Amino acid sequence: MKITVIGGTGLIGSQLVSRLGKAGHEVVASSLSTGVDLLTGEGLDQALDGAETVVNVSNSPTFDAASPDFFRTTVGNLLAAGERAGVRHQVALSIVGVDQVPQLDYYRAKTLQEELVRSGPTPYSIVRATQFFEFMDAVLSWTADENAVRLPSTPVQPIATADVVAALADVATAPPLNGTLNVAGPDVFSLDELGRRTLAARKDERAVVIDEQAGMFAAVEGDVLVARPGARLAPTRYEDWLNAAR
């Protein structure tokens, strides 16, 4: 099967390209660095030529109010190019609970992306994942100083990117869902507890202070970022991933 991965040189995309290639598929990794510009459409026709499936793991360059325009334009270009190329399956990576956090510009933008894919001309699958283990350092840095890290107690169910890639690969090589698959890690934490575990594993003695107004996840209400029944639960536990990363 020929599969084009849009965003194929990034954190998720590069792993997905490798996994699909090892499974014997013909894989095209497409990104700005390979001459494919989603915003203008440049290079899309060539990247999708002969592809049966397209997996879109590209991301907006900003998380602010400009992100809806990015997804509106890029998804429109990708769907149109896919229709011209005869693509039979469009796969998009999104976020668990994304439509439950309208306070965040980026989450509204990702919700728009999902809506565009659902209403597009091609059979589709949407894979919603929870927050990545690999993003925890960035989350800590948003509200950290030399003495402490401030985090809200928002419930999260983080997942290793390798497990997200495994789910994407399974979906990309199967018939379209014409629906959504949720994937999540095996354990639920409050974000402040996750922060404490991360700092402890790295021998960082800074305190984690609960601050319900701190950082992006302060806008999240309740447990909407936790997977609901029926989600695919990944095998990798955060503690094991931390130990392996060390």
Side-chain angles (χ1 to χ4, degrees), residues 15-225:
Q15 294 180 69
L16 182 58
V17 167
S18 175
R19 187 181 182 99
L20 290 170
K22 288 176 181 176
H25 299 286
E26 180 183 355
V27 190
V28 176
S30 298
S31 66
L32 270 175
S33 64
T34 69
V36 176
D37 189 334
L38 280 177
L39 281 169
T40 65
E42 181 181 357
L44 269 177
D45 288 334
Q46 294 90 332
L48 270 56
D49 184 33
E52 298 175 51
T53 297
V54 174
V55 185
N56 184 8
V57 295
S58 64
N59 211 349
S60 168
T62 68
F63 290 172
D64 58 17
S67 53
D69 284 341
F70 171 86
F71 285 112
R72 184 178 294 107
T73 300
T74 59
V75 173
N77 287 340
L78 182 57
L79 291 175
E83 191 173 22
R84 290 193 299 271
V87 168
R88 298 199 292 269
H89 188 186
Q90 290 272 358
V91 181
L93 177 62
S94 190
I95 306 167
V96 166
V98 70
D99 54 347
Q100 303 299 308
V101 194
Q103 305 93 320
L104 293 176
D105 292 328
Y106 181 68
Y107 277 46
R108 288 200 305 275
K110 291 293 288 184
T111 300
L112 172 63
Q113 179 190 21
E114 290 189 0
E115 292 169 351
L116 293 169
V117 170
R118 287 191 193 96
S119 62
T122 307
Y124 72 92
S125 300
I126 294 170
V127 177
R128 284 183 171 184
T130 51
Q131 285 64 46
F132 302 158
F133 292 169
E134 287 83 351
F135 285 177
M136 194 59 199
D137 283 339
V139 172
L140 293 173
S141 71
W142 294 339
T143 57
D145 58 31
E146 65 273 15
N147 299 313
V149 179
R150 303 188 321 279
L151 293 171
S153 59
T154 309
V156 293
Q157 193 172 354
I159 187 171
T161 57
D163 291 335
V164 176
V165 167
L168 282 168
D170 288 346
V171 169
T173 54
L177 297 172
N178 289 317
T180 301
L181 171 68
N182 291 292
V183 297
D187 302 306
V188 177
F189 306 90
S190 64
L191 190 58
D192 62 292
E193 175 61 20
L194 197 62
R196 290 189 190 92
R197 290 175 183 241
T198 304
L199 294 182
R202 293 172 182 168
K203 311 299 182 184
D204 187 325
E205 296 183 354
R206 286 179 295 175
V208 174
V209 178
I210 296 178
D211 181 347
E212 303 297 359
Q213 306 303 313
M216 183 177 79
F217 292 106
V220 177
E221 298 179 358
D223 63 352
V224 298
L225 300 184

